[in-house]
């Protein structure tokens, strides 16, 4: 946060918004809106601040911004749907213009997902973010197996919010609720060499991405085959992450490995 100029004061203001929003949505009595005084009592946020925050625009949604949801959908179609892929998970290079490639072009791909957005606008933005590249034959190549911008802080921040929110919600549910738990497991070791960590990182990048691509293909098939009523739609997030840092020096201990 400090690298991006977020001060403690700014962070504290964001926390007030979060506390007020959650109290308003999840701690109602008899499903009726709470008063400013009750929310102030629950959260410890001053009543004047509660009134001001509630008067502002509605709460933050957990879903991704529209532009990113569109991008994720577009990449999914390119990866999984004919004529844009050789087989699921193997996207084809696409002619940039429909005049050269017809339906099997970047123009055709964008048109299949939305008639309201110009392909050139999407292409320029994706070139900026490093999602695609154009070769000497004016063909567009997909440079990623998911909509994860290589550049563009705002886009990365949107994914940060989305993934952190859903991971934390799964963990909190498993900790506090009595129903069937969400899948949330990890593997951790603390006595690996840098070379071993590099090997594991590469394995996670390769094998982990294949696992996620498989889930993506299944979800795309189910979404097309099993269409729910408008009032019964649900969203999902399936994630996989990798992190490493030096192990703090301690007394000699045997290597540990566990999952939780």
């Amino acid at each position: 946060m400090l690298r991006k100029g977020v001060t403690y004061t700014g962070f504290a203001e964001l926390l007030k918004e979060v506390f007020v929003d959650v109290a308003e949505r999840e701690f109602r009595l008899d499903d009726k809106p709470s008063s400013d005084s009750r929310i102030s009592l629950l959260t410890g946020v001053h009543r004047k601040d509660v009134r001001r925050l509630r008067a502002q625009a509605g709460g933050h949604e957990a879903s991704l911004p529209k532009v990113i949801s569109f991008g994720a959908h577009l990449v999914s179609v390119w990866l999984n749907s004919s004529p844009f892929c050789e087989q699921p998970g193997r996207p084809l290079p696409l002619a940039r213009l429909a005049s050269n490639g017809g339906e099997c072009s970047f123009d055709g791909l964008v048109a299949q997902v939305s008639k309201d957005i110009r392909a050139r606008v999407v292409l320029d933005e994706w070139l900026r973010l490093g999602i695609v590249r154009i070769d000497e034959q004016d063909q567009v190549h997909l440079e990623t197996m998911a909509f994860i911008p290589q550049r563009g802080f705002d886009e990365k921040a949107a994914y940060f919010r989305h993934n952190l929110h859903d991971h934390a919600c799964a963990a909190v549910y498993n900790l506090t609720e009595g129903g069937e738990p969400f899948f949330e497991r990890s593997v951790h070791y603390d006595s690996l060499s840098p070379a071993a960590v590099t090997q594991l990182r590469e394995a996670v990048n390769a094998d982990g991405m294949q696992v996620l691509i498989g889930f993506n293909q299944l979800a795309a098939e189910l979404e097309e085959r099993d269409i729910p009523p408008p009032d019964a739609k649900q969203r999902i997030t399936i994630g996989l992450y990798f992190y490493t840092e030096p192990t703090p020096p301690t007394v000699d201990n045997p290597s540990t490995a566990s999952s939780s």
Side-chain angles (χ1 to χ4, degrees):
M1 288 189 292
L2 292 177
R3 286 193 188 101
K4 294 298 176 182
V6 179
T7 64
Y8 170 75
T9 305
F11 179 62
E13 181 66 18
L14 291 173
L15 279 180
K16 287 180 185 178
E17 293 181 25
V18 172
F19 271 73
V20 170
D21 179 52
V22 172
E24 184 170 23
R25 287 187 293 107
E26 299 186 16
F27 288 83
R28 296 185 174 191
L29 295 175
D30 300 324
D31 205 30
K32 295 178 182 177
S34 299
S35 66
D36 293 345
S37 295
R38 182 168 186 272
I39 290 180
S40 177
L41 177 66
L42 286 171
T43 63
V45 177
H46 195 282
R47 191 170 59 180
K48 287 192 301 184
D49 288 330
V50 171
R51 185 166 58 250
R52 172 178 57 81
L53 293 169
R54 296 180 82 185
Q56 293 174 357
H60 303 296
E61 296 295 333
S63 58
L64 290 168
K66 185 177 179 181
V67 64
I68 292 182
S69 299
F70 172 79
H73 186 189
L74 204 60
V75 168
S76 181
V77 171
W78 195 347
L79 282 168
N80 297 298
S81 302
S82 177
F84 308 110
C85 65
E86 184 178 341
Q87 64 183 56
R90 297 184 65 180
L92 291 167
L94 304 177
R96 182 171 64 87
L97 301 174
S99 56
N100 294 328
E103 185 184 53
C104 189
S105 63
F106 192 78
D107 284 351
L109 172 67
V110 175
Q112 179 158 320
V113 176
S114 173
K115 305 292 185 185
D116 301 324
I117 299 178
R118 292 175 54 227
R120 183 71 223 191
V121 174
V122 178
L123 182 60
D124 288 344
E125 181 65 4
W126 280 17
L127 287 168
R128 180 184 75 84
L129 294 173
I131 296 166
V132 295
R133 65 177 175 86
I134 300 178
D135 66 17
E136 298 79 7
Q137 285 75 46
D138 205 28
Q139 289 188 311
V140 185
H141 296 255
L142 185 63
E143 292 289 276
T144 179
M145 298 301 282
F147 188 79
I148 306 172
Q150 302 305 305
R151 299 185 292 274
F153 180 77
D154 290 344
E155 292 83 359
K156 290 181 180 179
Y159 271 108
F160 172 79
R161 290 193 300 269
H162 180 272
N163 293 340
L164 186 61
H165 173 276
D166 285 2
H167 190 175
C169 283
V172 169
Y173 179 90
N174 292 346
L175 186 66
T176 61
E177 303 295 334
E180 181 182 357
F182 289 108
F183 186 87
E184 199 225 353
R185 297 288 184 269
S186 62
V187 174
H188 42 94
Y189 281 70
D190 63 8
S191 297
L192 291 166
S193 69
V197 169
T198 298
Q199 186 174 342
L200 280 164
R201 185 197 297 268
E202 292 171 353
V204 170
N205 287 344
D207 300 341
M209 182 54 76
Q210 288 306 309
V211 169
L212 291 177
I213 288 171
F215 288 140
N216 180 63
Q217 291 169 1
L218 176 59
E221 292 167 8
L222 291 171
E223 186 177 57
E224 188 173 347
R225 186 170 72 234
D226 185 15
I227 301 174
D231 60 348
K233 290 183 178 179
Q234 295 200 37
R235 68 178 188 86
I236 65 157
T237 298
I238 302 170
L240 181 70
Y241 66 93
F242 175 93
Y243 180 71
T244 183
E245 65 179 7
T247 303
T250 55
V251 236
D252 288 342
N253 283 320
S255 298
T256 59
S258 60
S259 61
S260 60

